[in-house]
Amino acid sequence: MHVGDGAVLLFPADGKPAQEPVSHALWVYVDDLDAHHAHAVAAGARVVEGLSQQGFRSYVAEDLDGHRWTFVQASPAMRADPR
């Protein structure tokens, strides 16, 4: 799904039946992961996996309903055209 200048990707949580609390994973690409993480922490976000590098830089936060959101550093090719 395209949202403004970003995209939200939904992946099935492998091996998890639909009735389990976690049935999917949300990935959101952001232009500046460090700034996004700092803002989330300052706002009181529950970060469950800190900044890490696994072929891509990311961190995971949990929302108030227990859904986990993975925020990933967007590659330069993914960034919006500044024009």
Side-chain angles (χ1 to χ4, degrees):
M1 165 174 51
H2 189 265
V3 182
D5 289 334
V8 176
L9 303 171
L10 297 172
F11 298 101
D14 295 332
K16 297 269 188 184
Q19 65 269 20
E20 290 291 321
V22 178
S23 62
H24 58 278
L26 296 154
W27 276 39
V28 179
Y29 288 92
V30 298
D31 285 338
D32 187 339
L33 185 67
D34 293 312
H36 191 276
H37 178 265
H39 179 79
V41 169
R46 182 170 186 272
V47 175
V48 295
E49 293 178 28
L51 289 166
S52 66
Q53 177 83 38
Q54 301 169 7
F56 52 86
R57 289 189 68 235
S58 67
Y59 77 93
V60 180
E62 192 171 84
D63 68 21
L64 296 175
D65 292 322
H67 301 110
R68 292 194 174 186
W69 294 71
T70 301
F71 295 96
V72 182
Q73 177 66 53
S75 70
M78 297 172 75
R79 295 192 178 124
D81 186 349
R83 288 183 265 156

